[in-house]
Amino acid sequence: MIYYGRQSVNEQDIKAVEEVLRSDFLTQGPAIERFEQRVAEYCGVKYAVAVTNATSALHIACKAAELSRGDTLWTSPITFVASANCGRYCGAKVDFVDIDDVTYDMSVDELEKKLVAGGRPKVVVPVHLCGQSCDMERIYALSKKYSFTVIEDASHALGATYKDTRVGSCKYSDMTVFSFHPVKIITTGEGGMVLTNNQELYEKLVLYRSHGITRDASKMTKESDGPWYYQLIELGYNYRMTDIQAALGYSQMERLDTFVARRRQLAQRYDELLADLPIRIPKQSADTNSSWHIYVVRLDKTRTSKSKVEIFEEMKKRGVTLNLHYIPVHLQPYYQALGFKQGDFPASERYYEEAFTLPIYYELTDEQQDQVVKALREVLS
Ligand SMILES: *Cc1c(COP(=O)(O)O)cnc(C)c1O
């Protein structure tokens, strides 16, 4: 069976993890800092804070942005639920901005419309769906005009570029979040990271990652009682990544460009091999170079009568498990209970009717990809 994504772990990765297991520190040791520095350097950003996963990364990013009760967070309906849930963790209201019909990222026109109409989010979370960056320069300009914090959910987009920057540079945002779940571009098993160029945000992120405890005398409310002393100055969490995970992440960074190059090659092969089928292949805007976390196609319902359920079932019989990224978040029962309903975000709902995800990952061979294409050709004919 061919699945939509999987990790690539080699002997060097295993050795890196083994070294940590034989060392003095399993957590809070030197591997974390090394991994953070490596990712920061790669992305061209000042600060990086490694955490347990991208969900906790989004949570502390919202906390650092001081999102709280009475505030509002906006994100795209076509994302993993965590991009919206982070707002709810902070007690904030969540609202959505419909997607662009071509890139499937948050539509900046819709964002602007909603702002002009009087909407005042405290935080906006653009999601780089599939690994293709949103139009960050425009979003960032709007954030300056309307005073909101921009947190890029770049869970799909490590290794991608936007204009003259790497995604993660935070040139056009306040913070950027990555995920290192095994299906993502690199993995630490579970893991995430927040990047920023802002020292004040960085210090808050570090505080929230580790309980809200500080050992920095300059941040304390009174003089230290002695060498053992620390103070709890905020209500934080334990979102620390282990050194075991960080060592794996550091080792995986060595192959990041190789991973992304192969994903791009596979995407280009799909583009060519699928061109004549009754589906819409993904379009790339000129400013971006995607990392291709996922390859999403849309069924052209005017050219085929096959339903998506039929396609999923018939592909499975042929050894290929398809997937769907994502069910619009506003249609989830939890968000419906908050007042959202079918029809609220028509472009996202149309996308949901038509989209499905084909397998793409570093170790997928040309032969396996040909098998996927052959199966899809049979199913759609
Ligand atoms: C995977 C993913 C997340 C959550 O990542 P975890 O590391 O599993 O918490 C958040 N947002 C998007 C867009 C994702 O794809």
Side-chain angles (χ1 to χ4, degrees):
M1 188 65 70
I2 303 174
Y3 295 97
Y4 85 91
R6 63 161 290 139
Q7 72 279 9
S8 169
V9 172
N10 69 9
E11 281 307 311
Q12 186 193 311
D13 295 331
I14 293 167
K15 246 182 88 196
V17 169
E18 195 185 321
E19 268 170 37
V20 172
L21 288 172
R22 293 183 196 286
S23 79
D24 292 337
F25 300 100
L26 298 189
T27 193
Q28 298 285 280
I32 294 284
E33 215 165 294
R34 243 166 44 114
F35 180 42
E36 288 172 341
Q37 276 171 10
R38 181 79 181 81
V39 177
E41 221 166 80
Y42 181 88
C43 294
V45 71
K46 275 196 197 140
Y47 307 106
V49 180
V51 288
T52 47
N53 51 57
T55 304
S56 53
L58 286 161
H59 184 193
I60 61 169
C62 287
K63 292 295 288 184
E66 294 179 2
L67 184 73
S68 59
R69 205 167 295 279
D71 298 327
T72 306
L73 174 146
W74 290 358
T75 189
S76 166
I78 300 299
T79 184
F80 185 58
V81 291
S83 323
N85 291 352
C86 56
R88 300 294 300 151
Y89 297 158
C90 298
K93 267 186 63 180
V94 167
D95 199 356
F96 302 92
V97 178
D98 211 352
I99 59 165
D100 178 279
D101 225 7
V102 175
T103 64
Y104 317 145
D105 280 335
M106 174 186 284
S107 158
V108 186
D109 290 340
E110 288 298 319
L111 173 63
E112 186 162 16
K113 241 192 253 171
K114 223 170 151 89
L115 291 163
V116 168
R120 287 294 174 268
K122 177 141 183 177
V123 167
V124 173
V125 181
V127 181
H128 305 319
L129 196 75
C130 308
Q132 170 165 227
S133 176
C134 298
D135 191 351
M136 291 313 302
E137 193 166 12
R138 267 185 80 197
I139 293 173
Y140 199 45
L142 287 170
S143 83
K144 295 296 173 203
K145 187 167 173 192
Y146 293 95
S147 312
F148 55 82
T149 300
V150 181
I151 302 171
E152 297 175 67
D153 184 344
S155 295
H156 297 184
L158 180 61
T161 61
Y162 170 72
K163 296 200 169 171
D164 56 340
T165 66
R166 283 237 164 89
V167 169
S169 76
C170 299
K171 183 170 176 190
Y172 304 107
S173 69
D174 300 287
M175 289 172 270
T176 300
V177 165
F178 288 128
S179 170
F180 309 123
H181 180 280
V183 296
K184 306 286 162 74
I185 310 290
I186 68 162
T187 191
T188 58
E190 294 274 4
M193 200 175 272
V194 191
L195 298 93
T196 185
N197 288 311
N198 181 315
Q199 189 182 347
E200 204 179 314
L201 289 174
Y202 169 68
E203 286 175 6
K204 284 195 219 169
L205 291 167
V206 169
L207 200 60
Y208 282 117
R209 167 174 66 180
S210 208
H211 304 283
I213 283 174
T214 188
R215 291 176 188 277
D216 178 351
S218 73
K219 292 195 169 64
M220 291 184 187
T221 56
K222 68 175 194 78
E223 213 147 289
S224 167
D225 290 350
W228 63 86
Y229 195 62
Y230 59 80
Q231 276 193 343
L232 180 71
I233 57 170
E234 271 288 350
L235 185 62
Y237 309 90
N238 179 355
Y239 282 168
R240 292 189 302 262
M241 178 182 274
T242 66
D243 273 43
I244 305 165
Q245 294 165 303
L248 176 56
Y250 185 87
S251 176
Q252 290 254 303
M253 281 300 288
E254 303 267 302
R255 289 193 293 154
L256 170 57
D257 286 336
T258 316
F259 287 163
V260 172
R262 176 59 180 160
R263 285 173 177 275
R264 285 179 179 150
Q265 201 175 42
L266 287 163
Q268 201 184 341
R269 274 193 101 231
Y270 270 139
D271 286 351
E272 288 158 12
L273 296 169
L274 302 174
D276 62 317
L277 294 184
I279 52 175
R280 237 166 93 185
I281 60 174
K283 287 210 173 63
Q284 299 299 297
S285 69
D287 288 334
T288 65
N289 197 355
S290 179
S291 51
W292 293 103
H293 162 56
I294 45 178
Y295 188 92
V296 172
V297 297
R298 286 176 70 161
L299 206 54
D300 182 348
K301 291 190 166 178
T302 63
R303 290 164 63 206
T304 175
S305 54
K306 278 279 162 72
S307 75
K308 270 205 336 202
V309 174
E310 287 170 323
I311 295 169
F312 272 59
E313 282 170 355
E314 290 175 27
M315 287 297 283
K316 190 151 212 170
K317 280 191 211 133
R318 290 167 172 78
V320 181
T321 300
L322 296 177
N323 220 285
L324 203 162
H325 299 86
Y326 292 91
I327 304 160
V329 178
H330 71 284
L331 298 181
Q332 294 292 354
Y334 174 80
Y335 284 97
Q336 300 255 288
L338 294 172
F340 294 101
K341 53 186 192 314
Q342 185 84 36
D344 282 347
F345 303 100
S348 297
E349 291 165 23
R350 260 193 324 272
Y351 169 93
Y352 178 54
E353 291 299 309
E354 298 170 0
F356 57 95
T357 307
L358 298 177
I360 191 166
Y361 49 90
Y362 174 68
E363 290 186 4
L364 188 75
T365 63
D366 284 5
E367 292 69 32
Q368 286 173 314
Q369 189 183 32
D370 289 341
Q371 186 190 330
V372 173
V373 171
K374 179 168 172 280
L376 192 61
R377 190 171 290 283
E378 284 169 12
V379 168
L380 287 176
S381 70

